[in-house]
Amino acid sequence: NAGVTQTPKFRILKIGQSMTLQCTQDMNHNYMYWYRQDPGMGLKLIYYSVGAGITDKGEVPNGYNVSRSTTEDFPLRLELAAPSQTSVYFCASSLTGINQPQHFGDGTRLSIL
Amino acid sequence: AQTVTQSQPEMSVQEAETVTLSCTYDTSESDYYLFWYKQPPSRQMILVIRQEAYKQQNATENRFSVNFQKAAKSFSLKISDSQLGDAAMYFCAFTSNTGNQFYFGTGTSLTVIP
C-alpha cells in the first residue's frame, strides 16, 4: 500500500536548470496538491488539482507549472530554477476535497546553487 | 486573506504529562475546517485531528483533543499522557468551505522529556 510516492528524494540543481518533481498516488484520490516548506516555516500551497485535466494556482505558484493527465500522477515542473526555490517539496492527495484529510508523500529536498 | 498563527515555536513536556499547543486564525468565513498535522523527524506529514467549524463538539482522537473556540478564533491541541513518539513539529492548518486554499501555521516543535 504505497500511498503517495515522490521522486526524487534529494536533488541539487544549478541556477537556470529545469526539472520535474514526480508524484503518484495509488488511492484513487481526486484531489492532489503541491506544497513547499521553507526552513522554520509551515507548508505553502503551490498548485492543486481537483481531477485529471484540471489544475489551479495556490498561494505561491510563480516559477512552477503542473499538469494532471491521469488521476494517479501530478508532476511539478520548475523552469529556470532560482535560489529562492530551494525548499522541501511535498505532494499530497485527498479523496474528495481540500477540506478532507490529506495524505502526504515523504517530500523532495531541492537545493539550487 | 486567511492567516494561521502559532505563537509557541517550541514546547516541552514530561513523558506521561499533558501539554497544550496554541493556534489562532483569522477569517471572515463562517464555514471552515481546522486541522492539526504532525511532522516527525522522518518529515512525513500525518493528520492528527480535524475539526469542522459548524460542529460545536470538540474533536477527539484517542489522547489528542482540541479546544475549539469559534468566537475567539482559537483552536488549541491537547495531548494527554504524552509519549516519546509524540515528539515532532505540530502544524495547525485552515481551509474554508468556499475557497480552495489551504493555510498552515509556522509550527510548534514539541520535545518529550523521558
Side-chain angles (χ1 to χ4, degrees):
Chain A
N1 193 6
V4 178
T5 303
Q6 292 183 236
T7 56
K9 294 193 183 305
F10 305 94
R11 183 74 184 268
I12 298 174
L13 280 182
K14 294 183 179 179
I15 295 171
Q17 287 184 321
S18 300
M19 79 161 292
T20 300
L21 280 65
Q22 302 292 344
C23 175
T24 187
Q25 52 94 7
D26 62 358
M27 298 173 285
N28 203 31
H29 284 176
N30 292 317
Y31 280 64
M32 296 187 74
Y33 315 87
W34 275 106
Y35 294 91
R36 61 177 287 172
Q37 184 179 26
D38 297 332
M41 302 294 289
L43 281 67
K44 290 188 181 294
L45 184 63
I46 303 171
Y47 271 97
Y48 66 93
S49 170
V50 303
I54 306 170
T55 63
D56 208 345
K57 296 177 180 178
E59 190 180 0
V60 291
N62 292 343
Y64 306 95
N65 282 299
V66 294
S67 60
R68 183 107 180 261
S69 57
T70 67
T71 299
E72 296 78 18
D73 300 308
F74 189 41
L76 176 72
R77 178 133 181 106
L78 279 72
E79 304 282 2
L80 297 175
S84 61
Q85 294 177 304
T86 294
S87 191
V88 179
Y89 291 83
F90 287 95
C91 180
S93 70
S94 62
L95 182 58
T96 56
I98 201 168
N99 57 23
Q100 298 299 309
Q102 294 183 34
H103 299 257
F104 284 80
D106 292 338
T108 295
R109 184 176 296 277
L110 180 63
S111 295
I112 298 161
L113 307 175
Chain B
Q2 333 291 351
T3 58
V4 179
T5 302
Q6 294 180 249
S7 58
Q8 306 155 316
E10 297 177 345
M11 292 281 286
S12 62
V13 62
Q14 293 280 349
E15 195 175 1
E17 296 296 309
T18 296
V19 65
T20 299
L21 309 184
S22 300
C23 173
T24 59
Y25 58 94
D26 186 25
T27 183
S28 57
E29 306 277 351
S30 59
D31 192 12
Y32 50 86
Y33 298 79
L34 295 159
F35 305 80
W36 279 98
Y37 278 90
K38 171 185 177 181
Q39 187 178 40
S42 65
R43 209 168 64 190
Q44 187 177 40
M45 299 285 284
I46 303 164
L47 177 68
V48 175
I49 206 161
R50 172 179 177 265
Q51 175 80 43
E52 299 168 33
Y54 67 86
K55 287 189 176 179
Q56 297 290 334
Q57 188 172 5
N58 289 326
T60 63
E61 285 289 342
N62 301 316
R63 298 182 294 107
F64 299 87
S65 61
V66 297
N67 183 5
F68 174 47
Q69 302 288 328
K70 191 171 184 179
K73 296 180 182 176
S74 170
F75 183 61
S76 61
L77 175 70
K78 185 172 83 170
I79 306 173
S80 304
D81 185 25
S82 297
Q83 300 175 0
L84 295 177
D86 294 334
M89 283 290 289
Y90 286 82
F91 292 95
C92 180
F94 167 98
T95 189
S96 73
N97 203 31
T98 55
N100 271 317
Q101 298 291 331
F102 204 87
Y103 300 96
F104 282 87
T106 52
T108 296
S109 177
L110 179 67
T111 299
V112 180
I113 303 166

